[in-house]
Amino acid sequence: QVQLVESGGGLVQPGGSLRVSCAASGSIVRIDNMGWYRRAPGKERELVAVITRGGSTNSADSVKGRFTISRDNAKNTVYLQMNSLKPEDTAVYYCHANIWTVGLARDYWGQGTQVTVSS
């Protein structure tokens, strides 16, 4: 069984920084794309950033230049460094990964971590 466990959310003031992490564990053969999504109150879930196994990244226009996604393949972990945070970044952040177990690839999601940007 595969699990994604997020950590690092919390409360931060506008302009501050926060890093969230997501570690995958279980019977993993390989992890392809990993990424972060978020859902703000009253809004649809949206893609924040994604990273391929090889390290290519893409991110939403709203976070470009402020957020950086990275990963450590040896640790099956993806990170999201968030700088210059704004109140509109307040949301539950979800980790996503496309993971191969023996003979099967499927999408997995973390349980979500709350990020609140407020003074």
Side-chain angles (χ1 to χ4, degrees), residues 3 7 19 21 31 47 88 93 95 99 114:
Q3 283 188 315
S7 60
R19 189 176 84 154
S21 304
I31 303 177
L47 173 68
E88 51 263 44
Y93 284 70
C95 172
I99 298 177
Q114 177 70 47

Side-chain angles (χ1 to χ4, degrees), residues 1-4 23-31 76 99-101 108:
Q1 188 170 351
V2 173
Q3 283 188 315
L4 296 181
S25 63
S27 302
I28 297 169
V29 174
R30 188 182 79 236
I31 303 177
N76 291 334
I99 298 177
W100 283 89
T101 56
Y108 290 86

Side-chain angles (χ1 to χ4, degrees), residues 12-79:
V12 63
Q13 291 187 340
S17 297
L18 205 59
R19 189 176 84 154
V20 291
S21 304
C22 171
S25 63
S27 302
I28 297 169
V29 174
R30 188 182 79 236
I31 303 177
D32 289 335
N33 287 0
M34 302 185 84
W36 290 94
Y37 290 72
R38 67 186 181 187
R39 177 177 282 142
K43 294 188 177 181
E44 297 285 324
R45 185 175 63 191
E46 63 173 351
L47 173 68
V48 177
V50 63
I51 184 168
T52 68
R53 181 171 179 79
S56 297
T57 64
N58 197 10
S59 59
D61 287 343
S62 60
V63 306
K64 275 186 168 68
R66 300 188 299 121
F67 291 11
T68 301
I69 188 170
S70 62
R71 66 189 283 175
D72 184 333
N73 289 335
K75 295 182 179 179
N76 291 334
T77 299
V78 62
Y79 308 95

